[in-house]
Structures are given as structure tokens and as C-alpha cells.
């Protein structure tokens, strides 16, 4: 392919495990090339660190353009028609990115328009594209987003201290609580989970010293969630934890699904055109399989009886690339929002 003969787009997914970057053609005619920067983007007093993100992103784009086209540098060798960045914490910690990235990327890559999106939005775009519906993104945390393509609705995503109910950290904490109850001889304890606590973390008395000083406490809690799932087939306490998690997840999905009046109704839930709304699940949480998905399907059937549970088409990186392609075609139909989906155009203005 001759450098400069195609318009390219860049999708970015910034999360707790690192920075992923994809380069593809604007018309999706060629499969995207991807690369991974294993160091997560830092968060400081001003929120997500724009300099740290740029310091990883620009070399990654240069590597990808050389790999795909042979061009040594993006500038002058490849036309980047649009770029979309999805980042964990963008909605609440993205002020520095929104203030600095547009001009920095216009200067370095010549790219505009640019979208800065919350990771929930890129998860939505990856899962459902630009169709109305609801997406639950579950991993260490848990957030649900829905749209009728007019506005966004969000439920949970408040972090492990205030919410993320039903997410990996929530399940892990409930499992550890049940294990410690068994250790103490209190009601609600699970000897099976106590055995798994000892196998994974050592003596129960050492758990507070292991957990409380850690900056990655949510991830450590979430690491115990698969143990809960592994015990659920034989242990009623573990099974109850996953059923309660399923209830929380289904309530969040119902709260954001288009036309859902509230999480307790049995009224028909429809998309903007009157068709049954689609609900997709995305994220590592749902790789637990039937111990969680079984009760979750039941709960969704009760709260959203006419919604259609569909498989996620792609992940958040695919969602970022989809948004970038839509921008390049002037065909972005997902609702713009000051913090969830902030789009900057040729004038470098805001939404």
C-alpha cells in the first residue's frame, strides 16, 4: 500500500492493564494493526496524565504506521483522518486530556476530528456499534450504559467503595467476607471459601496487612472472584453471592435500557424505533461463565422480559476504532456528551 494513498484512523484504549492502540483504514477495508504499551497511563493531581499518555501513544502510532505502510513517521507519510481515545476514568478524571490532547495531536499527527470517550462508551460502541440498547461492562468494576441515540443513561460505575455492585471486586469482597465469617464462627460463613482464602492468600489473620496498604485493592479483591465462581456449584453461600451479583447487574442494565421505566417494571422495553432493545455484556467478569451468567439471564428475564440479550461484537479497542471511523465519515450517531463522549472538530472547539 502506498503511504498517503489511504485515510487512516487510530483507536486507543487506556485501562488498568496498559494502553492499546489500533491503526486501521477509515473504510475498514484493511484489518487494523494493533500494539500494546504495557504501562498503564498514570493518574495525578490533575487527573489522567496527558503527557504520559502522549509519551506512549505517539511512538505507538509511529510503529504501527511503519508496520502497515512502510512510512517512517505519521506526519507527511500517512493521513490520520480521525482518532478516538477511550480511557478508564475519562468522565471524572479527564479534564487534562480534554484540555491538552486536541492541540497536541493536531500538532503532532495533523489529526482532527478527535473523540475523547469514557471507557464505558467505547465498550458500548465495541459491543453494539451505533445501535440503541444497553451495555454492561464488567471487570474489576461494573458500569452500565444505555442510549436511545438521543441521550446517554449511566448506572453504577462508582468505584469499589461506593458501588460497582456485582463487579469482580464486589464478588471477591463478598467471598472473603463469607470466608472470614466461617473463620470467626459467625452466621453466613462458607468453609469452602475459607479453604480457598487460605490457599490463595495464606492465614486469614494476615489478610488485612496484605490488603489494606495496597494501592490496587480493587484488583486484589477481584482476584478472589473466580474462587467464588469455582465454589458456587457445591457451596450455597458462594452461589448466593453470584445470584446477588446477577441481581445488581440486571438492575443496572434495566436502569439504563431505552424506554425502561424502572428496574422493577415488567413493561415492554423497546429501542427508539419500537423494536425490542438489545442488551450486551462485555468484559472479563463474564468469562466466569454459567455460575454467573445462569442467574444473570434469569434476572434479566424478570426485569427486562422483552429485551434481547446479544453477544458483544467487539471490545473497547474495537469501539474506539469504530468511533474514529464514524468521525472520519462524518457519521457519528452516538450521543455527544461533555465528559462521556467529547468530540473536537476542525475548529478545535468543544461539543
Amino acid at each position: 500500500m502506498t503511504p498517503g494513498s489511504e485515510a487512516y484512523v487510530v483507536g486507543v484504549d487506556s485501562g488498568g492493564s496498559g494502553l492499546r492502540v489500533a491503526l486501521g483504514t477509515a473504510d475498514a477495508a484493511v484489518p487494523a494493526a494493533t500494539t500494546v504499551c504495557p504501562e498503564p497511563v498514570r493518574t495525578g493531581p490533575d487527573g489522567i496524565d496527558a503527557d504520559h499518555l502522549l509519551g506512549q501513544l505517539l511512538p505507538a502510532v509511529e510503529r504501527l504506521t511503519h508496520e502497515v505502510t512502510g512510512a517512517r513517521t505519521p506526519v507527511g507519510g500517512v493521513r490520520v483522518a480521525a482518532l478516538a481515545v477511550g480511557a478508564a476514568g475519562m468522565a471524572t478524571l479527564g479534564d487534562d486530556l480534554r484540555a491538552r490532547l486536541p492541540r497536541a495531536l493536531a500538532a503532532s499527527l495533523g489529526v482532527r476530528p478527535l473523540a475523547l470517550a469514557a471507557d464505558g462508551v467505547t465498550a458500548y460502541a465495541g459491543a453494539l456499534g451505533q445501535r440503541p440498547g444497553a451495555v454492561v461492562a464488567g471487570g474489576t468494576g461494573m458500569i452500565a450504559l444505555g442510549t436511545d441515540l438521543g441521550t446517554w443513561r449511566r448506572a453504577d460505575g462508582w468505584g469499589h467503595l461506593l458501588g460497582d455492585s456485582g463487579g469482580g471486586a464486589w464478588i471477591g469482597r463478598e467471598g472473603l467476607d463469607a470466608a472470614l465469617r466461617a473463620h470467626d464462627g459467625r452466621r453466613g460463613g462458607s468453609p469452602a471459601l475459607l479453604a480457598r482464602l487460605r490457599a490463595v492468600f495464606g492465614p486469614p489473620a494476615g489478610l488485612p496487612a496484605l490488603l489494606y496498604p495496597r494501592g490496587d485493592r480493587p484488583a486484589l479483591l477481584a482476584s478472589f472472584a473466580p474462587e467464588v465462581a469455582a465454589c458456587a456449584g457445591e457451596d450455597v453461600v458462594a452461589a448466593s453471592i453470584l445470584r446477588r451479583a446477577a441481581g445488581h447487574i440486571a438492575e443496572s442494565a434495566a436502569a439504563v435500557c431505552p424506554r425502561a421505566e424502572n428496574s422493577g417494571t415488567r413493561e415492554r422495553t423497546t429501542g427508539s424505533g419500537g423494536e425490542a432493545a438489545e442488551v450486551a455484556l462485555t468484559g472479563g467478569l463474564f468469562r466466569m461463565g454459567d455460575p454467573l451468567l445462569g442467574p444473570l439471564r434469569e434476572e434479566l428475564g424478570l426485569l427486562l422480559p422483552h429485551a434481547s440479550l446479544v453477544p458483544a461484537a467487539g471490545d473497547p479497542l474495537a469501539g474506539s476504532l469504530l468511533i474514529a471511523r464514524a468521525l472520519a465519515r462524518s457519521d457519528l450517531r452516538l450521543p455527544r456528551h461533555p465528559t462521556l463522549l467529547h468530540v473536537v472538530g476542525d475548529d478545535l472547539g468543544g461539543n
Side-chain angles (χ1 to χ4, degrees):
M1 184 178 297
T2 304
S5 65
E6 295 281 351
Y8 289 86
V9 296
V10 176
V12 182
D13 176 46
S14 175
S17 60
L19 187 77
R20 298 188 298 157
V21 184
L23 176 75
T25 54
D27 61 3
V30 178
T34 63
T35 189
V36 177
C37 308
E39 184 180 0
V41 176
R42 292 190 293 263
T43 300
D46 296 324
I48 302 169
D49 190 326
D51 287 331
H52 193 218
L53 188 148
L54 284 167
Q56 297 188 74
L57 174 59
L58 295 178
V61 173
E62 184 168 349
R63 289 195 303 273
L64 288 173
T65 55
H66 177 59
E67 173 187 334
V68 171
T69 71
R72 286 291 175 183
T73 61
V75 178
V78 168
R79 181 166 68 91
V80 180
L83 186 148
V85 178
M90 179 73 80
T92 53
L93 299 171
D95 287 348
D96 193 38
L97 297 188
R98 286 185 285 270
R100 300 177 56 197
L101 248 60
R103 292 191 182 278
L105 290 172
S108 57
L109 300 178
V111 60
R112 57 183 90 183
L114 166 74
L116 300 174
D119 58 341
V121 170
T122 53
Y124 185 102
L128 290 182
Q130 300 201 82
R131 306 193 303 275
V135 170
V136 179
T140 297
M142 200 286 298
I143 186 171
L145 278 180
T147 182
D148 56 5
L149 301 187
T151 59
W152 289 104
R153 296 185 69 177
R154 164 187 163 164
D156 215 332
W158 299 116
H160 75 292
L161 292 178
L162 298 175
D164 286 354
S165 300
W170 185 94
I171 293 172
R173 189 208 172 280
E174 291 293 306
L176 291 170
D177 176 77
L180 293 174
R181 286 177 176 274
H183 176 266
D184 294 345
R186 291 178 287 147
R187 287 187 301 175
S190 165
L193 290 173
L194 177 58
R196 296 312 307 153
L197 184 160
R198 289 188 171 120
V200 174
F201 295 118
L207 187 60
L210 175 66
L211 178 66
Y212 292 139
R214 296 276 289 261
D216 61 345
R217 285 187 299 274
L220 190 65
L221 290 170
S223 71
F224 197 68
E227 305 296 336
V228 178
C231 292
E234 303 293 334
D235 183 71
V236 294
V237 174
S240 173
I241 290 170
L242 293 186
R243 180 162 291 281
R244 286 187 286 123
H248 288 308
I249 295 167
E251 286 170 356
S252 291
V256 303
C257 202
R259 301 285 297 276
E261 297 300 327
N262 59 64
S263 61
T265 71
R266 290 177 176 267
E267 296 180 13
R268 180 174 176 82
T269 300
T270 60
S272 57
E275 72 281 3
E278 294 178 320
V279 178
L281 310 175
T282 184
L285 179 69
F286 302 109
R287 289 198 288 269
M288 286 185 184
D290 283 343
L292 176 63
L293 292 179
L296 179 54
R297 291 189 188 99
E298 293 178 15
E299 293 291 334
L300 288 171
L302 290 172
L303 297 183
L304 294 172
H306 297 289
S308 175
L309 186 62
V310 300
D315 65 4
L317 182 60
S320 291
L321 203 60
L322 182 146
I323 290 171
R325 284 178 171 137
L327 284 175
R329 300 191 308 266
S330 299
D331 185 35
L332 182 62
R333 300 190 298 278
L334 294 174
R336 302 187 185 199
H337 185 277
T339 58
L340 292 176
L341 182 55
H342 177 75
V343 178
V344 178
D346 288 347
D347 60 353
L348 292 182
N351 288 31

